[in-house]
Amino acid sequence: MADYDVDNMLKNIFDIKDLNTWKPSEKIPLVVKEIDALKNDLKTFLGNSNYDMEVILKESHELSLESKSVVDDMEQCKQEIEQETMAEILKSIENHDKISKELQSVNFALNIVYDVVQCGKYVKEFDDGREAQSFTRAVEAVYDLLQHIDMPSDGFKQLDLYNNTRHTAQLILDSLLQDLYGEWDRLVYKNIVTSNRKTTITITLGLDDSLIVVDILNALEKSKKLDEKVSEFSQFLLKDVLQPIINNDSIVFAETDELMTITISHKPDFRPAYDAVIANLRLLFHYLSNKLNFEFNREKSLMKMIGKQISVEFREVLVKDCLIHTIPNNINELQSYGVITSEIEDFQHFLAIVKFFPNENFSILQYVNNIDVLFADKSSQYFLESARQIMLKDLSVTMSIGVESIPDENAGTSSAPEESVEEALKILDKTIPKSLFYFPRCMISRTAQELLDLVYVMMEQAVQCSDVVCKKLYNTTRLVFELYDAVVPYHHEQFLQTIPQYVALFHNNCMYLAHNLQTFGDKWLILLEGRELDYPISFVDLVQKLRDLGYQHLAAHMQQQRKQILDNIRSSDLNCMVVKDILGDNAEAAVRQCLRQLQLLKNVWVGILPNNVFTKLMATLVNMFVDELIHRVCTVEDISMEMATQLTDMYTIVVQKAPQLFQTPSEVENHVKSWIKLQELIFVLGGSLKDIEAHWQDGTGPLAVHFRTEELRSLIKALFQNTQFRANLLAKIK
């Protein structure tokens, strides 16, 4: 039977175009006709089929009857199971619950009994270990017992046996640990005896690879106390033995195979040589290696444990307190420093062999990686300390320096320069005075020259080193001069305040150092020619600071000298001429005292200060002295004849003595501004009104040049009585 196309049939019967015109009554006959046609086709198909449909229906009916019979049998079986078997099942469940409860009760009791038996077993194992004199077995048994007690079965904790067993186990463990500590203290004995002069340390090690010692160590390890004891001994070695050996004069001596004695001598400011320290450490570690380098458990030794705990700290102490000081402070010794590093490397290899260092890669020589920085720091520290020691020396140890006169032409022109250079030099020669490059003849402290020599050594060393060292030494050189500013005035303060010689020498020292600093940077750059520097080299900024330092102290001393002179004059009758008709002897004594003071300064300063500086200083003091003498007279309203005579005599002494204060007497006229004024004052004191009028010369004479009008009028009024001639003279002086 071919497939029947329903959709096509419906399209034929119901035409889409006639949807709005057809009626159901018209279409029903067509549908009925189509159904009938299909029935006929079905009969024809069944008639032609090979299957016997009637037989098939019959068999299906019989099968349905059999199935119904089976369902009835199963329903009957179900009823029988529900009535008989379910009763038996319920009874079995009740029996199972009862048996389960009985089993739980048995297991509960069994677990408690098992715990009791195990506790007894561990106690017996402990007793067996003690009888066998095995600390390890005893410790294992006690720890197993405590561990088992910490995880008891249900109900065991409620037994008195639990508390008793736990308490007893803890007591046994404490007693056992005390015995182990005692054995350790017997095997590792140390003692320290300290006095004012020395400290004696004795170490007695009874450790070896015997069964007894190994048993004690394993027991300590099982009880987790070995690390504690080894740490305690390691810290003793580091703090009380190794560090003192590194920092002090020490003697390490192995008196027997078991006894080692270390004697530490107490010497202040003492640092042992590195080779002596290494030799002592070799003896100590050799002794420790012989006694501690046996393996007692899985390639584990006490020496390795000690090294693991303190090797890093020991290396840091050794480098910081000993080896770092082997770094030289000059370039020549630095070039031969390989000898020292070789010895240190051998010692490092030795510590690896005795298994104190964990491996060969554990290096003491790591600090050498920064040798340039360390050398720079060491050199800087050395030079600064050397400079400071020089600055603390006596300033009165002197030497002569400088030239008497400035040469007309510069020496050393061996070859003719190029025309442009020659022209530039001519312009420079006209612009810059030659005195800039020469220092005048004077005396300086030897310490100033020593300091200058030291910085030249620093400069020469710096240019031979790497850029890191060179830069460090350049900065250190600048620090030397800043240190000079801080140290010398403070350390020599008392002398600089009281002794003129010290002040003059300090002034010259500052000037001399400043003079050299003007060209010091150029000399440095010449030596560094060809290098690329990332920092400027100059000392010119320090020149004025040093000059000011010298100026300040010299000026302060000049003020002190000035004050003494003024105090001498003002403490005499010269300060109270207004109320006196005649001066006492103290007036002349004060003048002579001032002259003696100036003479002493001359005796001290001549030959020390440069001639021009001495002349300026002396002229300043003499001029101040003369001004004060003039001022004393010019401010008095009435001067008696007797006092005028006294003043003339005293001031004449000054005129006679003052020129002797200079190296050339004629210098007094050139450098003392008030010198002629003093002479004119003496003339007025001893002269008549007619003489004064002659020296006035209608405002063109010497009196008019050196005296102000008010001063001269006041002086005339004080010296002479009021007469017509005086009035006429005063009228002329206006």
Side-chain angles (χ1 to χ4, degrees):
M1 183 177 178
D3 293 336
Y4 183 73
D5 191 351
V6 176
D7 292 335
N8 190 33
M9 182 272 294
L10 293 175
K11 289 179 180 180
N12 293 330
I13 295 174
F14 300 97
D15 190 357
I16 296 174
K17 296 179 180 180
D18 298 333
L19 287 178
N20 298 324
T21 57
W22 63 269
K23 296 178 180 178
S25 57
E26 295 177 355
K27 301 299 179 179
I28 289 174
L30 296 176
V31 173
V32 172
K33 183 180 179 180
E34 188 68 27
I35 292 172
D36 290 340
L38 288 174
K39 287 180 179 180
N40 291 332
D41 290 340
L42 179 60
K43 286 179 180 181
T44 303
F45 174 75
L46 292 175
N48 296 331
S49 174
N50 294 326
Y51 298 99
D52 190 349
M53 297 304 296
E54 293 180 359
V55 173
I56 291 174
L57 290 174
K58 182 178 179 181
E59 289 177 355
S60 297
H61 179 70
E62 290 176 355
L63 182 59
S64 174
L65 293 176
E66 289 179 1
S67 298
K68 183 177 179 182
S69 174
V70 172
V71 169
D72 292 339
D73 292 340
M74 290 181 66
E75 184 66 28
Q76 185 179 0
C77 181
K78 176 183 175 183
Q79 291 177 358
E80 292 178 356
I81 289 173
E82 290 177 350
Q83 294 173 0
E84 297 178 6
T85 306
M86 285 301 296
E88 295 179 358
I89 290 174
L90 292 174
K91 185 177 180 180
S92 297
I93 290 174
E94 292 177 359
N95 292 335
H96 176 270
D97 292 341
K98 183 178 180 181
I99 293 171
S100 176
K101 290 179 180 179
E102 292 177 355
L103 181 60
Q104 288 178 356
S105 177
V106 171
N107 286 337
F108 179 78
L110 181 63
N111 288 336
I112 293 176
V113 171
Y114 175 79
D115 285 348
V116 172
V117 171
Q118 285 297 107
C119 289
K121 174 186 173 184
Y122 292 137
V123 171
K124 186 176 186 308
E125 288 179 358
F126 167 75
D127 292 336
D128 292 342
R130 293 298 285 171
E131 289 179 5
Q133 296 183 347
S134 173
F135 282 102
T136 303
R137 290 173 57 187
V139 168
E140 287 178 347
V142 173
Y143 270 95
D144 288 343
L145 176 59
L146 288 172
Q147 185 177 6
H148 186 76
I149 291 175
D150 284 341
M151 296 181 294
S153 60
D154 292 339
F156 186 62
K157 281 187 176 183
Q158 283 68 41
L159 299 179
D160 293 338
L161 179 64
Y162 171 80
N163 292 325
N164 293 336
T165 302
R166 185 181 185 85
H167 181 66
T168 302
Q170 190 62 48
L171 291 177
I172 291 173
L173 179 61
D174 293 341
S175 176
L176 192 57
L177 290 178
Q178 289 298 323
D179 293 341
L180 282 172
Y181 291 162
E183 291 295 325
W184 172 268
D185 293 337
R186 179 182 64 82
L187 295 174
V188 181
Y189 174 78
K190 52 189 184 294
N191 185 43
I192 302 176
V193 179
T194 302
S195 64
N196 292 333
R197 294 186 176 182
K198 65 180 181 179
T199 297
T200 303
I201 305 167
T202 56
I203 303 174
T204 304
L205 298 180
L207 296 162
D208 52 37
D209 57 353
S210 63
L211 294 177
I212 296 176
V213 174
V214 172
D215 178 65
I216 293 171
L217 296 179
N218 283 326
L220 284 169
E221 187 176 26
K222 291 287 185 183
S223 61
K224 300 179 182 179
K225 300 298 181 181
L226 182 61
D227 286 341
E228 176 184 326
K229 286 298 179 181
V230 171
S231 176
E232 178 185 329
F233 183 67
S234 299
Q235 291 303 313
F236 159 76
L237 282 177
L238 180 65
K239 304 296 183 183
D240 298 323
V241 180
L242 295 175
Q243 286 186 2
I245 289 176
I246 292 171
N247 291 286
N248 299 277
D249 184 20
S250 309
I251 299 175
V252 179
F253 179 65
E255 298 188 14
T256 65
D257 290 342
E258 294 185 351
L259 177 60
M260 168 68 75
T261 302
I262 301 101
T263 304
I264 309 296
S265 300
H266 301 161
K267 296 180 180 180
D269 301 325
F270 178 83
R271 180 181 295 122
Y274 80 96
D275 51 353
V277 172
I278 290 178
N280 284 331
L281 292 176
R282 278 182 177 272
L283 290 174
L284 177 64
F285 279 107
H286 181 73
Y287 164 76
L288 294 175
S289 174
N290 289 338
K291 305 305 293 183
L292 305 177
N293 233 342
F294 62 92
E295 297 177 351
F296 62 89
N297 186 10
R298 297 187 301 276
E299 298 183 356
K300 195 172 188 178
S301 69
L302 293 177
M303 196 67 176
K304 289 181 180 178
M305 295 176 67
I306 292 172
K308 183 178 180 181
Q309 292 198 15
I310 65 171
S311 58
V312 174
E313 193 171 354
F314 164 75
R315 177 181 64 181
E316 293 175 355
V317 172
L318 180 62
V319 171
K320 179 176 64 113
D321 294 347
C322 178
L323 301 184
I324 204 74
H325 300 297
T326 64
I327 296 176
N329 51 41
N330 63 77
I331 189 65
N332 294 329
E333 293 182 5
L334 181 64
Q335 293 172 350
S336 60
Y337 191 65
V339 176
I340 297 176
T341 58
S342 178
E343 294 181 27
I344 297 172
E345 191 171 5
D346 289 341
F347 178 59
Q348 172 184 306
H349 182 63
F350 165 76
L351 292 179
I353 291 176
V354 300
K355 299 180 181 179
F356 178 72
F357 280 176
N359 51 61
E360 288 285 353
N361 296 326
F362 191 84
S363 174
I364 301 177
L365 290 170
Q366 288 180 345
Y367 73 97
V368 180
N369 296 336
N370 296 323
I371 188 67
D372 280 351
V373 176
L374 294 174
F375 173 69
D377 292 340
K378 185 69 176 292
S379 298
S380 298
Q381 182 181 358
Y382 167 76
F383 284 123
L384 285 175
E385 183 61 29
S386 299
R388 189 175 185 277
Q389 293 302 320
I390 292 173
M391 295 172 194
L392 298 181
K393 290 182 179 180
D394 188 2
L395 295 180
S396 63
V397 180
T398 61
M399 61 181 292
S400 179
I401 200 73
V403 296
E404 293 290 350
S405 60
I406 300 173
D408 293 335
E409 295 181 358
N410 292 330
T413 55
S414 57
S415 60
E418 298 179 2
E419 292 183 2
S420 58
V421 176
E422 184 177 5
E423 184 179 355
L425 289 175
K426 288 180 179 179
I427 296 174
L428 186 66
D429 187 56
K430 293 178 181 179
T431 306
I432 300 178
K434 293 181 180 179
S435 60
L436 181 66
F437 303 102
Y438 293 92
F439 198 72
R441 175 71 65 184
C442 65
M443 302 295 290
I444 62 169
S445 302
R446 285 193 178 275
T447 56
Q449 186 61 50
E450 289 179 21
L451 190 65
L452 195 60
D453 293 340
L454 179 68
V455 296
Y456 270 106
V457 171
M458 294 171 64
M459 179 178 70
E460 291 170 358
Q461 178 165 302
V463 299
Q464 300 178 55
C465 299
S466 64
D467 290 341
V468 173
V469 181
C470 184
K471 184 175 183 179
K472 180 72 173 181
L473 289 180
Y474 161 69
N475 290 325
T476 303
T477 305
R478 291 181 57 86
L479 283 176
V480 166
F481 294 103
E482 294 181 8
L483 188 67
Y484 187 86
D485 187 354
V487 171
V488 177
Y490 175 78
H491 181 72
H492 302 281
E493 181 179 10
Q494 186 65 30
F495 296 111
L496 291 175
Q497 289 178 351
T498 56
I499 302 178
Q501 179 187 7
Y502 268 76
V503 178
L505 287 172
F506 180 67
H507 168 267
N508 292 350
N509 295 343
C510 292
M511 297 301 113
Y512 181 62
L513 294 175
H515 172 77
N516 281 275
L517 286 183
Q518 291 180 121
T519 57
F520 195 64
D522 295 332
K523 295 174 183 177
W524 196 303
L525 287 172
I526 291 172
L527 293 175
L528 287 174
E529 186 176 0
R531 287 200 190 184
E532 293 184 3
L533 304 178
D534 60 350
Y535 56 96
I537 291 181
S538 176
F539 295 86
V540 176
D541 59 308
L542 299 176
V543 172
Q544 194 58 42
K545 288 181 65 176
L546 282 172
R547 287 177 175 170
D548 290 344
L549 182 64
Y551 290 150
Q552 290 168 6
H553 283 79
L554 186 58
H557 189 73
M558 288 289 287
Q559 286 294 330
Q560 184 178 342
Q561 294 293 336
R562 178 180 180 275
K563 182 177 182 301
Q564 290 180 8
I565 292 173
L566 294 178
D567 288 345
N568 284 331
I569 295 175
R570 293 171 182 175
S571 62
S572 67
D573 285 353
L574 290 172
N575 194 41
C576 53
M577 294 168 59
V578 176
V579 296
K580 290 183 178 293
D581 293 332
I582 187 170
L583 297 175
D585 294 339
N586 61 8
E588 183 176 342
V591 172
R592 291 184 179 274
Q593 177 61 31
C594 293
L595 291 171
R596 279 195 296 271
Q597 179 181 337
L598 294 172
Q599 183 63 43
L600 288 174
L601 285 177
K602 175 190 176 182
N603 295 339
V604 172
W605 283 350
V606 168
I608 292 181
L609 290 168
N611 293 337
N612 62 331
V613 176
F614 166 77
T615 301
K616 290 178 181 178
L617 294 180
M618 185 57 68
T620 300
L621 291 175
V622 171
N623 191 71
M624 179 273 302
F625 174 48
V626 169
D627 278 344
E628 184 66 17
L629 293 178
I630 296 172
H631 176 71
R632 293 294 106 191
V633 176
C634 291
T635 56
V636 179
E637 295 181 357
D638 186 22
I639 301 175
S640 66
M641 184 178 297
E642 292 83 358
M643 184 182 293
T645 302
Q646 287 179 308
L647 290 172
T648 301
D649 294 340
M650 282 190 294
Y651 287 9
T652 301
I653 294 173
V654 175
V655 173
Q656 292 172 351
K657 298 289 187 181
Q660 308 304 318
L661 299 175
F662 295 86
Q663 292 175 291
T664 303
S666 60
E667 290 179 341
V668 69
E669 297 180 3
N670 298 327
H671 298 283
V672 180
K673 182 179 179 182
S674 300
W675 183 248
I676 302 300
K677 186 175 183 179
L678 176 64
Q679 291 178 323
E680 291 298 317
L681 176 63
I682 295 172
F683 173 79
V684 171
L685 289 172
S688 63
L689 288 172
K690 185 177 289 187
D691 295 331
I692 294 173
E693 184 178 12
H695 268 240
W696 173 255
Q697 292 180 2
D698 296 328
T700 60
L703 285 177
V705 173
H706 297 286
F707 280 89
R708 290 182 290 109
T709 302
E710 294 79 4
E711 285 181 333
L712 185 57
R713 288 172 60 86
S714 176
L715 189 58
I716 293 173
K717 290 178 181 179
L719 288 171
F720 300 99
Q721 293 181 352
N722 188 8
T723 63
Q724 185 61 41
F725 190 80
R726 190 189 82 165
N728 294 336
L729 179 59
L730 290 175
K732 293 180 180 180
I733 300 174
K734 291 183 179 179

